[in-house]
Amino acid sequence: MLKNLKRVALVALAVGALLSTARAETVLRSSDTHPDGYPTVEAVKYMSALVKERTNGAYSIDVFHSGQLGEEKDVIEQAQFGVIDMIRVSMGPFNNIVPETIVPSLPYVFRSTEHMRKALDGEIGDEILKAFEKHNLVALAFYDAGARSFYNTKREVKSPADLKGLKLRVIQSDIFVDMVNALGANATPMPYGEVYSAMQTGVIDGAENNWPSYESSKHAEIAKYYSLDQHLIVPEILAMSKATWDKLSPEHQEIFRQAAKESVAKQRALWEAAEKTARAAVEAAGSKVVEVDKKPFVDAMQPVYDKYLADAEIRALYERIVAVK
Ligand code: GTR
């Protein structure tokens, strides 16, 4: 009898110990539309390892890749409501929510990836990240996303005239819609995960994206013509739900901020490699890369600039970004 009681007590102790260690670790859920192995997914995993080590196991991040938690517009809302803890989403879907993201999402605003990094790695970038807080999000970092270009199932596109009449999927953002329409094509805003089948069934004729997305989404299997117009160098955003953030101690908040910053270098290194591998893979599989003269594409963006820069604050931010050497 006594022996049995002892055994019960021991089991209870063991279960209690297990439960308390389980309780000690909070696993945050982070969303990414890209598959496992993609540079953004790997960078957040890297951040998770740093956080886990520096919080002595109190926190870690589980990356739900491949859009398991939903499409970008939906996961942004879920993060705003505290249903998802973290999101890694392109800046594009924030354009209609956070006005400060408008300028860095304008076509051809950045002259190069170096220009984008210089502009966003400092004070201007910090201001843009800070602006998310009014919208219940704490933005922690920008990741690279190379340059976006047009691709389609129909023909070689060398000039805006060749885009005329093509139905092209864009990110759900007014800027993206305006950009494509200004070029004479028909913009179809649609979640990323629907693009493959929409192209396959002919609902759309093409889309636009960077090399790693064009390849990993398998869009390259259907849309063989990829033009090097590079209309958008738009970064990715890594953000946390404000509700989750507010539950962290100031010390842990600092650890998260720092780990996110450190994950940027990791992401950039992975990104540079991924761009090369993806381009080589799609070319080997038969994609036709079309060189273009960018000038007519740049010129066609004037109405888009006129529309968005009519706002004085947006224009001021634009001028600061352009002035970064
Ligand atoms: C990718 C980006 C994704 C997603 C996608 C899209 O380049 O990394 O976050 O926004 O584009 O076109 O929807």
Side-chain angles (χ1 to χ4, degrees), residues 295-311:
K295 174 108 182 13
F297 287 87
V298 175
D299 291 347
M301 291 304 121
Q302 199 51 49
V304 180
Y305 275 77
D306 292 345
K307 175 176 169 183
Y308 291 97
L309 301 188
D311 179 289

Side-chain angles (χ1 to χ4, degrees), residues 59-225:
Y59 286 96
S60 66
I61 306 158
D62 199 358
V63 185
F64 288 77
H65 54 78
S66 313
Q68 293 170 72
L69 299 180
E71 298 285 354
E72 296 199 329
K73 234 175 133 235
D74 303 326
V75 295
I76 292 174
E77 272 181 25
Q78 293 186 60
Q80 286 179 302
F81 285 112
V83 180
I84 294 180
D85 303 300
M86 270 179 74
I87 45 174
R88 196 296 309 158
V89 169
S90 163
M91 200 184 234
F94 289 107
N95 297 158
N96 295 5
I97 305 168
V98 184
E100 287 79 356
T101 63
I102 288 176
V103 177
S105 306
L106 285 172
Y108 298 112
V109 72
F110 293 118
R111 298 180 295 272
S112 61
T113 294
E114 289 64 44
H115 178 209
M116 182 203 73
R117 288 180 181 175
K118 266 205 185 140
L120 299 185
D121 282 351
E123 204 179 288
I124 299 178
D126 288 344
E127 283 172 32
I128 297 172
L129 293 177
K130 187 98 186 91
F132 283 71
E133 279 186 41
K134 296 194 284 287
H135 309 278
N136 289 327
L137 295 166
V138 178
L140 298 172
F142 299 105
Y143 285 158
D144 276 17
R148 299 174 77 98
S149 289
F150 292 109
Y151 50 85
N152 78 91
T153 58
K154 302 275 187 209
R155 55 182 178 252
E156 288 191 20
V157 167
K158 291 201 174 114
S159 69
D162 299 326
L163 281 173
K164 207 166 175 55
L166 289 182
K167 275 180 276 153
L168 301 178
R169 175 271 174 175
V170 289
I171 283 187
Q172 291 154 295
S173 144
D174 290 347
I175 299 177
F176 280 66
V177 171
D178 293 335
M179 168 186 77
V180 162
N181 291 341
L183 287 163
N186 301 323
T188 310
M190 175 188 292
Y192 191 51
E194 291 172 18
V195 180
Y196 184 89
S197 66
M199 246 169 8
Q200 211 173 28
T201 54
V203 171
I204 52 171
D205 305 311
E208 44 88 47
N209 225 312
N210 51 46
W211 291 115
S213 292
Y214 174 58
E215 193 253 345
S216 64
S217 61
K218 305 208 185 320
H219 296 174
E221 286 175 2
I222 321 173
K224 292 282 181 198
Y225 302 102

Side-chain angles (χ1 to χ4, degrees), residues 252-279:
H252 284 162
Q253 288 179 346
E254 195 37 49
I255 290 174
F256 272 83
R257 264 197 207 287
Q258 185 58 28
K261 280 214 177 90
E262 289 174 36
S263 73
V264 172
K266 176 83 177 170
Q267 195 271 345
R268 285 179 178 169
L270 292 171
W271 180 258
E272 279 162 12
E275 274 191 318
K276 292 194 185 86
T277 337
R279 178 172 181 170

Side-chain angles (χ1 to χ4, degrees), residues 35-55:
D36 205 15
Y38 198 92
T40 51
V41 171
E42 294 309 309
V44 178
K45 286 190 201 166
Y46 176 78
M47 174 181 169
S48 173
L50 296 179
V51 163
K52 191 164 179 172
E53 188 192 310
R54 294 173 188 175
T55 61

Side-chain angles (χ1 to χ4, degrees), residues 231-262:
H231 51 267
L232 268 172
I233 298 180
V234 66
E236 317 276 17
I237 294 285
L238 178 65
M240 195 181 269
S241 162
K242 179 100 176 26
T244 306
W245 182 257
D246 288 343
K247 286 188 205 134
L248 301 176
S249 68
E251 188 197 27
H252 284 162
Q253 288 179 346
E254 195 37 49
I255 290 174
F256 272 83
R257 264 197 207 287
Q258 185 58 28
K261 280 214 177 90
E262 289 174 36

